[in-house]
Amino acid sequence: MLSPRQLFLQHQAQTTDFPLLLEVEKAEGVYMYGPNGERYLDLISGIGVSNVGHRHPKVIQAIQQQLDKYLHLMVYGEIVQAPPAQLAHALALTLPAGLDNVYFVSSGSEAVEGACKLAKRFTGRTELIAFENAYHGSTQGSLSLNGSESFKRAFRPLLPDVRHIRHNHAPDLELITTRTAAVILETVQGEAGVRVPSRAYLQNLRQRCSETGTLLILDEIQSGFGRTGTFWAFEQFGVIPDILTCAKGMGGGMPIGAFISRREIMHSLKNDPMLGHITTFGGHPVSCAASLATLQIIQEEGLLAQVAEKAARFQQRLTHPAIKEFRHLGLMMAVEFDSFATLKSVIDSALLKGVLTDWFLFCDNSMRIAPPLTITMAEIEEACDLVLAAIHEQVHP
């Protein structure tokens, strides 16, 4: 009989010639466990997914309770189901007044696709503006918005009428005009290596969009659901988007995404054509039940109030001559080294010591650190000890 590793390599589609090949049999809290009892501290939360840790008991309970009722019933938006309705209401309560209409989808890429379709439908315009080194997904529409040509070249032609401007560079805001349907921006750029715009820049962007009738889409697929220390990262910048996208950390480990807007804007998808956006599995009741539990865990367990202290501890501990810069907003962190070669050796060494880290697609000399928000101070100490030991082992300043 073939092992899971052999089956993975023979029959599961691969995305690189060097998959991580970490075999996991169980996960709990901040740890993942191999078939022979190996233990790995997960410092990346499945790339920003497990914000409340792996298999949080309240998430598991919500899933089990929904399993006893029903699974998929009908394509999105046709049948009244308590889990998506209750989740939409709970999400609206976390947002400024008016951002109260939620369209549930199955992933972050689909949330971006829906948001951009919505902006074009509502404004009647065609131009979309995104940013250099942006990452919004890998479907053809979201890929068109990504800011790295190396990831797009092999798949052209992509969406027409997409322009890219420089991040946090005020003069480029003049390129937003009355023919621009939407500007889409990660509130904190993720795959660029945790790049945080200035408060003034985001406010100027908001003002320029308002002046030109352009919709502002904020992508909080990585930064939402408490990752930065507020439930939504945009709360820290004094701006309100017209459309918000989320996914990743919202599901407690289950697949789900959403784009959220004002009722006036969202209702433009209802007519001309009817069914302007369709998704079969969006708003899946089990995923919505898990997401509602996740939202409640973040609020009831006071996880937001702990983020700043935990991030500060990482920053205090992760000091070494080989570390060139530490960038973060809350527990969305990047630790920069001099090169990819140095970083890769540290990542590989850290994994052998029992801690999983990663790099960023568009910033491959920086280590991604984005642990579950539930990580304890003792677990932070353990993680930092292991990472520093890997640095000491691999780098000789």
Side-chain angles (χ1 to χ4, degrees), residues 20 44 56 142 151 213 215 218 255 287 373:
L20 190 59
I44 55 175
H56 192 289
S142 57
F151 276 78
L215 298 186
L218 289 183
S287 291
L373 307 183

Side-chain angles (χ1 to χ4, degrees), residues 51-341:
N51 281 15
V52 296
H54 295 285
R55 300 184 69 253
H56 192 289
K58 292 179 182 177
V59 172
I60 298 302
Q61 181 182 35
I63 291 170
Q64 289 172 338
Q65 289 176 347
Q66 183 56 41
L67 289 177
D68 287 337
K69 296 176 181 177
Y70 54 83
L71 303 181
H72 174 75
L73 300 178
M74 179 63 168
V75 296
Y76 175 81
E78 296 297 328
I79 291 180
V80 176
Q81 302 175 70
Q86 292 168 350
L87 176 58
H89 175 66
L91 286 169
L93 293 178
T94 71
L95 290 162
L99 278 178
D100 60 358
N101 224 243
V102 184
Y103 196 119
F104 291 114
V105 292
S106 302
S107 70
S109 288
E110 193 186 349
V112 169
E113 296 281 355
C116 290
K117 284 177 64 180
L118 176 62
K120 292 167 79 171
R121 173 66 185 86
F122 180 75
T123 64
R125 304 174 183 179
T126 59
E127 182 181 65
L128 297 170
I129 291 181
F131 290 80
E132 293 180 356
N133 289 325
Y135 183 81
H136 298 288
S138 61
T139 53
Q140 290 193 75
S142 57
L143 181 63
S144 305
L145 303 167
N146 287 356
S148 173
E149 181 60 27
S150 64
F151 276 78
K152 297 190 289 188
R153 189 175 299 114
F155 305 104
R156 289 194 177 279
L158 295 168
L159 277 183
D161 217 2
V162 174
R163 178 195 294 266
H164 287 83
I165 63 177
R166 288 167 287 185
H167 184 256
N168 209 33
H169 187 73
D172 283 5
L173 298 181
E174 294 300 316
L175 296 172
I176 303 167
T177 69
T178 54
R179 65 177 304 274
T180 309
V183 175
I184 182 167
L185 170 71
E186 299 160 271
T187 310
V188 179
Q189 282 198 315
E191 298 308 316
V194 187
R195 307 292 174 172
V196 183
S198 72
R199 182 181 175 91
Y201 176 79
L202 261 189
Q203 292 182 349
N204 288 337
L205 170 60
R206 172 68 275 180
Q207 181 179 352
R208 181 63 179 170
C209 287
S210 298
E211 290 170 353
T212 58
T214 300
L215 298 186
L216 175 60
I217 303 171
L218 289 183
D219 177 340
E220 298 230 0
I221 290 165
Q222 286 198 52
S223 61
F225 268 68
R227 172 60 51 194
T228 67
T230 47
F231 198 89
W232 304 106
F234 72 78
E235 298 174 48
Q236 301 180 43
F237 295 91
V239 299
I240 299 174
D242 298 297
I243 305 173
L244 178 69
T245 66
C246 52
K248 286 190 177 291
M250 74 182 289
M254 292 293 287
I256 187 171
F259 57 102
I260 306 170
S261 191
R262 301 191 300 274
R263 182 178 301 270
E264 167 200 12
I265 297 174
M266 193 71 81
H267 279 203
S268 65
L269 291 176
K270 292 168 57 177
N271 301 290
D272 194 25
M274 179 177 60
L275 301 173
H277 192 68
I278 305 171
T279 173
T280 297
F281 292 113
H284 192 284
V286 178
S287 291
C288 287
S291 181
L292 181 58
T294 298
L295 187 157
Q296 292 168 341
I297 290 162
I298 291 170
Q299 294 175 332
E300 294 170 3
E301 296 188 4
L303 296 182
L304 297 178
Q306 303 170 26
V307 168
E309 182 184 7
K310 291 175 179 179
R313 191 57 183 154
F314 272 106
Q315 187 168 20
Q316 291 163 3
R317 287 295 319 279
L318 292 179
T319 57
H320 186 277
I323 295 174
K324 306 304 178 185
E325 187 178 5
F326 184 100
R327 296 183 298 275
H328 79 105
L329 190 63
L331 287 171
M332 190 172 177
M333 299 173 281
V335 180
E336 186 168 304
F337 294 83
D338 63 351
S339 66
F340 173 71

Side-chain angles (χ1 to χ4, degrees), residues 366-378:
S366 292
M367 176 183 287
R368 181 197 308 270
I369 297 181
L373 307 183
T374 54
I375 193 170
T376 66
M377 297 303 282

